[in-house]
Amino acid sequence: DTAVSQTPKYLVTQMGNDKSIKCEQNLGHDTMYWYKQDSKKFLKIMFSYNNKELIINETVPNRFSPKSPDKAHLNLHINSLELGDSAVYFCASSQRVSKDIQYFGAGTRLSVL
Amino acid sequence: LAKTTQPISMDSYEGQEVNITCSHNNIATNDYITWYQQFPSQGPRFIIQGYKTKVTNEVASLFIPADRKSSTLSLPRVSLSDTAVYYCLVTKNFGNEKLTFGTGTRLTIIP
């Protein structure tokens, strides 16, 4: 079983569309994250949830809205997609935060045309 | 959070030992040093974590001098499958502070 799974793996869409990426972890972790990795391979955190509560919210446009229906799921909804949103988005989870090992999903490659 | 500095890239031949050094001059007392590995088209994967001296697991060793201002990830007898980007992070022992991934070191193993 995949510990952290995210869907879809690839997402190609037009500018202005709204799309969602789903993430689920079966590790029993309390904390989940969304990261963005751009074309230059910089990996930057976007959001972090602990037990469904938002605890880290980096400077991300309001068009990005995370939703955590329960502590095993953290979905990312993106409104009005722009060209600059093209990147690979990674979901991760950890037992708590900071020092604890983070387990990453395989990533969702988003291409906005 | 302590900033880390590591070489942008390294090349090595198969079968050699590879050492990647990371500088973290502003590391705090409660900070740990954690290394992740990322293969192309995959998410980062935890390799090893340490606080001081030496830590060894089945994949790598981590050497941390007494002043803890740097650390060295050692990969014994590398193979082509070790080609990846290696990230050095400083992580707090508590709290909600975010992880900051730097540029990482792109390690290329040559046959």
Side-chain angles (χ1 to χ4, degrees):
Chain A
D1 281 347
T2 304
V4 180
S5 59
Q6 50 182 114
T7 56
K9 189 169 176 61
Y10 300 97
L11 190 52
V12 181
T13 187
Q14 300 286 333
M15 281 176 57
N17 284 349
D18 303 338
K19 291 293 179 185
S20 292
I21 307 172
K22 296 185 177 181
C23 180
E24 176 182 4
Q25 55 96 2
N26 62 6
L27 298 167
H29 288 163
D30 289 341
T31 307
M32 295 185 72
Y33 312 80
W34 276 110
Y35 287 85
K36 178 181 180 182
Q37 188 166 44
D38 59 24
S39 57
K40 295 182 179 179
K41 304 300 183 183
F42 288 115
L43 193 62
K44 296 181 181 178
I45 192 165
M46 301 172 68
F47 302 102
S48 174
Y49 272 72
N50 181 266
N51 271 320
K52 301 193 298 177
E53 181 182 345
L54 181 66
I55 54 172
I56 294 175
N57 185 354
E58 286 299 285
T59 306
V60 176
N62 291 336
R63 300 181 293 104
F64 290 79
S65 53
K67 287 185 173 52
S68 182
D70 55 61
K71 73 174 190 177
H73 295 84
L74 180 62
N75 303 323
L76 183 65
H77 188 77
I78 315 170
N79 290 326
S80 302
L81 279 156
E82 301 178 356
L83 293 176
D85 298 331
S86 295
V88 181
Y89 292 84
F90 289 101
C91 176
S93 74
S94 69
Q95 185 57 46
R96 296 173 303 167
V97 291
S98 296
K99 167 179 163 286
D100 292 337
I101 297 169
Q102 291 196 10
Y103 295 82
F104 285 77
T108 295
R109 182 173 295 275
L110 171 65
S111 299
V112 182
L113 307 178
Chain B
L1 198 63
K3 182 180 177 181
T4 60
T5 303
Q6 52 185 123
I8 295 292
S9 64
M10 292 179 66
D11 295 338
S12 179
Y13 288 99
E14 275 191 292
Q16 291 190 334
E17 177 184 79
V18 171
N19 296 311
I20 306 174
T21 298
C22 178
S23 297
H24 26 79
N25 291 320
N26 297 324
I27 192 167
T29 304
N30 292 314
D31 291 341
Y32 280 69
I33 298 135
T34 309
W35 285 79
Y36 284 82
Q37 174 192 55
Q38 185 177 22
F39 295 116
S41 302
Q42 294 187 26
R45 183 182 73 163
F46 171 84
I47 303 176
I48 198 166
Q49 182 180 78
Y51 182 79
K52 61 180 180 181
T53 62
K54 177 183 174 182
V55 178
T56 297
N57 62 23
E58 64 278 5
V59 176
S61 294
L62 179 60
F63 299 91
I64 306 168
D67 67 5
R68 305 201 325 123
K69 292 183 182 300
S70 66
S71 59
T72 299
L73 174 72
S74 181
L75 304 172
R77 296 181 297 283
V78 293
S79 64
L80 294 177
S81 63
D82 292 314
T83 294
V85 178
Y86 292 82
Y87 295 97
C88 165
L89 289 83
V90 171
T91 54
K92 290 209 173 293
N93 190 29
F94 56 87
N96 298 332
E97 199 153 342
K98 65 181 187 287
L99 290 189
T100 301
F101 284 81
T103 56
T105 297
R106 182 173 298 277
L107 175 65
T108 302
I109 306 303
I110 305 165

